[in-house]
Amino acid sequence: MVTTLAQLIGVLDAAYPPQLAESWDSVGLVCGDPRDEVTRVLIAVDATAEVVAEAVDWRAQALVVHHPLLLRGVDSVAADTPKGALIHRLVRSGCALFTAHTNADSAAPGVSDALAAALGLTVTGPLDPKSADAVDNWTVQVPRADTDRVLDALFAAGAGGTGHYRDCALRTPSVGQFRPVAGAEPATGAIGELERVEEDRIEVVAPPGARARVLAALRAAHPYEEPAYHVTERAPLPAGVGIGRVGTLPRPETLRAFTARVRAALPRTVWGVRAAGDPDREISSVAVCGGAGDSYLSVVRRLGVDAYVTSDLRHHPTDEHLRAGGPALVDAAHWATEFPWCAQAEAIVRTALPALETRVCLVRTDPWTVDGTH
Ligand SMILES: [Zn+2]
């Protein structure tokens, strides 16, 4: 049974839905033919020259990475440019390149779940939850004899679907009333007379993108000259996905002990692991964000956690954060905080496509190489 690159992409897109990616990001297939057969998949944080060499030497047909190789606008992948050379090497070796970046950050499980698990945290939710998809709720009054026909028209226009259900509606019997005045052309009743009609009040949900279509269908199917209806958009609700995670330690420990825990849990790097804050501060609740998480410093202050683990923290934001009474900060190498994701992605691929050979690339792609101690 042949496994295609398209099947591998299907598994990765299901685990890390591309629509979860931030708007500025570039995720998905960078090079490769979805129709090609895949037998070996290498997983890494970065597509560096060393990582690409390992993929090619191992004769992998797919290299799955976290960081986009080509993020900003690209005019050329000529082989005499550093990134173009890698693309050429991959294409010539029959190895596809696939990226799961901020979609893998926000998915559940995602990058920060892997980091939280490595640290022994019990995750309670995302650090920065994404809102669930917006939903319109339509309420329409329909003369009872026309309820089924109007509902069918609304369903055909995209209303009434939720999850794995369709044709969903609430119908409540009611009595409508109206008095047509001069100029009206009522479907029922007479000018100047108060008319009472047995009606159903129907409620259906629809995506906001279908609003114009649903309204046109409603007007076309409804017998009244002026149908009575209203549309409300559901208030945004936090979904279970989003950047970063919040969790708790099995039991409280000092910042000193917690920092040692982080150091022991992550692969060794020149960057190392360091903490900012009182070493004796008790740590119980922890926020984590794999990769550069300094843009969430104000968020973790509001959350009231005891510590925040991320990477790429700078002097002034760190100093100001501590002055503002924020949680202790633990800073690790960017690559090290995202490396645990590789095993997560590997397990997802292996479970869905057991015929594939998978491997996590152990090359340390953190750019820092010398710590000056010897
Ligand atoms: Zn990153």
Side-chain angles (χ1 to χ4, degrees):
M1 188 58 181
V2 168
T3 304
T4 62
L5 177 59
Q7 285 174 280
L8 174 65
I9 292 170
V11 166
L12 290 165
D13 280 351
Y16 307 121
Q19 61 270 25
L20 289 180
E22 301 296 310
S23 56
W24 49 264
D25 204 2
S26 169
V27 301
L29 192 62
V30 180
C31 67
D33 187 336
R35 294 167 299 184
D36 283 354
E37 183 182 356
V38 176
T39 59
R40 286 182 174 169
V41 183
L42 186 68
I43 297 153
V45 173
D46 296 282
T48 62
E50 219 180 333
V51 171
V52 168
E54 180 175 328
V56 169
D57 291 347
W58 187 47
R59 297 194 305 281
Q61 295 83 22
L63 171 60
V64 174
V65 296
H66 180 50
H67 288 145
L69 178 65
L70 312 172
L71 181 57
R72 319 255 171 252
V74 174
D75 300 300
S76 163
V77 288
D80 59 357
T81 63
K83 291 180 177 179
L86 294 183
I87 297 285
H88 275 71
R89 183 147 196 221
L90 287 164
V91 171
R92 285 175 176 152
S93 310
C95 184
L97 178 63
F98 183 91
T99 308
H101 190 214
T102 50
N103 48 331
D105 287 325
S106 279
V111 172
S112 291
D113 287 298
L115 173 59
L119 303 185
L121 298 173
T122 303
V123 169
T124 52
L127 165 57
D128 186 34
K130 282 193 184 296
S131 291
D133 289 342
V135 175
D136 280 350
N137 193 58
W138 289 78
T139 304
V140 186
Q141 288 289 132
V142 189
R144 193 151 307 143
D146 295 285
T147 298
D148 289 327
R149 204 167 48 78
V150 171
L151 272 178
D152 285 346
L154 297 179
F155 294 154
T162 179
H164 295 295
Y165 295 86
R166 44 191 211 91
D167 300 354
C168 306
L170 180 70
R171 28 206 311 172
T172 313
S174 61
V175 177
Q177 71 167 55
F178 50 85
R179 191 192 302 270
V181 295
E185 291 177 22
T188 173
I191 303 291
E193 301 288 320
L194 183 67
E195 180 76 7
R196 288 202 172 87
V197 185
E198 297 282 311
E199 291 184 343
D200 280 328
R201 181 183 172 91
I202 59 178
E203 293 179 49
V204 292
V205 294
R211 209 172 275 175
R213 222 166 45 238
V214 171
L215 181 58
L218 164 63
R219 286 193 170 285
H222 203 287
Y224 287 179
E225 188 181 17
E226 295 292 346
Y229 65 91
H230 68 263
V231 193
T232 50
E233 191 171 313
R234 188 172 71 187
L237 298 171
V241 296
I243 303 276
R245 292 294 180 268
V246 178
T248 50
L249 283 168
R251 63 194 67 81
E253 59 194 29
T254 63
L255 176 59
R256 193 182 280 108
F258 178 67
T259 309
R261 170 193 287 268
V262 176
R263 188 181 173 83
L266 300 182
R268 273 294 172 81
T269 58
V270 164
W271 185 278
V273 174
R274 57 205 171 177
D278 177 0
D280 293 318
R281 177 176 185 158
E282 191 175 87
I283 308 299
S284 174
S285 61
V286 177
V288 301
C289 181
D294 58 347
S295 55
Y296 298 101
L297 285 175
S298 59
V299 178
V300 295
R301 278 202 293 276
R302 282 201 303 277
L303 287 173
V305 292
D306 303 314
Y308 178 40
V309 181
T310 188
S311 68
D312 292 341
L313 291 178
R314 293 176 298 142
H315 173 99
H316 288 299
T318 301
D319 183 50
E320 279 161 26
H321 167 89
L322 292 175
R323 284 170 199 262
L329 298 177
V330 180
D331 179 71
H334 188 128
W335 168 81
T337 61
E338 296 176 332
F339 178 74
W341 167 78
C342 295
Q344 178 196 88
E346 184 191 33
I348 286 167
V349 171
R350 219 175 29 214
T351 304
L353 301 167
L356 293 185
E357 260 188 273
T358 57
R359 186 204 273 188
V360 170
C361 177
L362 299 178
V363 173
R364 189 179 67 189
T365 54
D366 198 50
W368 309 104
T369 52
V370 181
D371 69 5
T373 53
H374 45 255

